[in-house]
Amino acid sequence: MKIDSKGNLIVGATAILIVSLLLICIFVVSSINYIQNENIDSQANDNFKYIVGDYTQNLEIYGRDAIARATQKVFTGLPVTNSEKQIKKNLNKILDEKNKEYEEKYSTKITSEVLSVENTDSPWKILFKVKLNIQKDNEKYSKIIEKNASVEGLKDPLPIAKLSLLSGILTYNNQIHYKASLSAYMLLHNLDSPESYLGATAPLYIKKCPYDPYIHHGDPGVLKDCLKQGYFHESADGSCYLCRLEGKGKCPHYGFEVFIQTHTLLNNETLSCSDHVVFADHYNAKKIDPYDLNSLILDSSHRKKYGID
């Protein structure tokens, strides 16, 4: 287009400038809105990630609580005939409560289902598999989560489950006090020298022995400290925690054993003091030190395992 005068040139330049400014403004406003929307989406996504992470990380705690509730059932005198089923029931109940809390607190819909409760390669841990579905607004999360819960620090349910509270067994000062209950059990099963186990004691809480390999129990002072601290030991013959809840002194799983300590002047042959021997295997042994009131009664295989001559 041909411009005939300076006026027309100024008008044309001004129009171009105005249009350019409008386009720049539109671009700036659009960019700001886009950035703000991106920030909102990012914040919402980060919030959802936090909720998912918080819930899944706490599954280990919830699982341990479910085991502890099953253990407490035993200690109130009620039997647990199927420990996996009982713990699964406990955990589903706990998760239902937590799901409601998350919905109220975060406006997040969570559905959960405990698929299994299983032993692991370690007798100190139990595996949980939980199917999760989590949704908040347009964000969704669906996955099967696996978590290991530790049994360390929980009460040993085997003595109560095996003998029952009616036998007179007591728990205090972090110990199982068998009183006359173990002797009565031995007498009922025609086992040798039941009087040797009158007043026997054992640790109440599961504590993993740090003296590994176990042959170091033969070193000076180690066995004495082990008994004082009440440590438990891995054992292919001992029962796992799930079976201990059911009162099984022996099971096909990899478990652990603990020493039942006698306090007797008698030196005659009687049951070896590993708990799986007392409650299931039933073979005899003699005191390590016949002159020590609190000496362990151990067979040759256990003496070899723990390095005790």
Side-chain angles (χ1 to χ4, degrees):
M1 179 181 71
K2 184 176 179 182
I3 301 176
D4 297 328
S5 66
K6 291 182 179 180
N8 290 336
L9 180 62
I10 293 171
V11 170
T14 301
I16 292 171
L17 180 62
I18 292 171
V19 171
S20 299
L21 289 173
L22 285 172
L23 290 173
I24 291 171
C25 290
I26 292 170
F27 175 77
V28 170
V29 170
S30 298
S31 297
I32 291 172
N33 288 334
Y34 176 79
I35 292 170
Q36 288 177 339
N37 289 334
E38 281 291 298
N39 287 336
I40 291 171
D41 291 342
S42 177
Q43 290 171 2
N45 184 261
D46 289 344
N47 179 255
F48 185 72
K49 286 181 179 178
Y50 166 80
I51 293 170
V52 171
D54 183 63
Y55 190 98
T56 54
Q57 287 172 14
N58 284 325
L59 282 175
E60 183 177 330
I61 298 172
Y62 303 152
R64 180 180 168 87
D65 188 19
I67 302 170
R69 292 187 185 187
T71 304
Q72 188 56 35
K73 182 177 180 179
V74 173
F75 275 80
T76 56
L78 298 174
V80 173
T81 56
N82 187 321
S83 57
E84 291 94 339
K85 184 178 179 180
Q86 180 65 58
I87 294 170
K88 186 188 291 188
K89 177 182 176 181
N90 293 347
L91 184 52
N92 274 322
K93 183 177 180 180
I94 292 169
L95 293 182
D96 286 344
E97 294 169 356
K98 296 299 176 182
N99 296 346
K100 291 177 182 177
E101 289 180 16
Y102 274 75
E103 186 168 8
E104 293 173 0
K105 187 175 181 179
Y106 301 112
S107 299
T108 302
K109 180 68 174 177
I110 301 177
T111 59
S112 57
E113 179 188 1
V114 182
L115 301 178
S116 64
V117 177
E118 306 170 16
N119 281 300
T120 67
D121 293 336
S122 168
W124 316 105
K125 295 183 181 295
I126 293 175
L127 174 67
F128 295 88
K129 292 182 182 179
V130 181
K131 184 178 181 181
L132 280 181
N133 289 293
I134 304 176
Q135 182 173 356
K136 180 177 173 63
D137 299 326
N138 295 324
E139 301 282 356
K140 292 182 180 180
Y141 177 89
S142 182
K143 193 174 182 181
I144 294 175
I145 302 294
E146 296 185 6
K147 288 287 184 179
N148 288 317
S150 173
V151 299
E152 290 188 69
L154 297 179
K155 294 178 181 178
D156 179 14
L158 177 58
I160 303 295
K162 188 72 176 179
L163 301 178
S164 87
L165 290 174
L166 297 176
S167 67
I169 190 172
L170 297 174
T171 60
Y172 56 88
N173 295 335
N174 296 329
Q175 283 189 318
I176 299 282
H177 293 264
Y178 285 98
K179 302 299 182 179
S181 62
L182 199 48
S183 296
Y185 166 84
M186 292 173 65
L187 189 64
L188 182 65
H189 290 82
N190 298 314
L191 301 172
D192 292 338
S193 190
E195 62 274 13
S196 296
Y197 276 86
L198 279 169
T201 57
L204 176 58
Y205 294 96
I206 305 292
K207 289 193 286 185
K208 182 180 179 181
C209 184
Y211 297 113
D212 193 2
Y214 295 149
I215 196 170
H216 287 300
H217 284 69
D219 296 344
V222 173
L223 180 59
K224 182 178 180 180
D225 185 62
C226 178
L227 293 173
K228 180 181 178 181
Q229 301 300 329
Y231 291 134
F232 285 67
H233 309 87
E234 293 188 23
S235 171
D237 297 317
S239 56
C240 69
Y241 199 86
L242 293 177
C243 287
R244 294 174 95 88
L245 282 166
E246 298 172 4
K248 297 175 181 176
K250 189 177 180 66
C251 73
H253 315 111
Y254 189 55
F256 42 73
E257 64 183 354
V258 71
F259 298 128
I260 298 177
Q261 192 167 5
T262 58
H263 311 281
T264 179
L265 292 170
L266 299 175
N267 291 318
N268 48 310
E269 192 174 274
T270 186
L271 288 179
S272 185
C273 70
S274 177
D275 64 343
H276 69 84
V277 179
V278 173
F279 289 126
D281 292 322
H282 299 161
Y283 50 81
N284 285 356
K286 286 190 175 183
K287 274 186 175 184
I288 297 171
D289 183 352
Y291 304 105
D292 183 0
L293 182 72
N294 300 311
S295 173
L296 292 181
I297 300 169
L298 279 184
D299 57 277
S300 58
S301 62
H302 279 93
R303 292 188 190 205
K304 183 178 180 180
K305 176 179 178 178
Y306 293 99
I308 300 169
D309 294 328

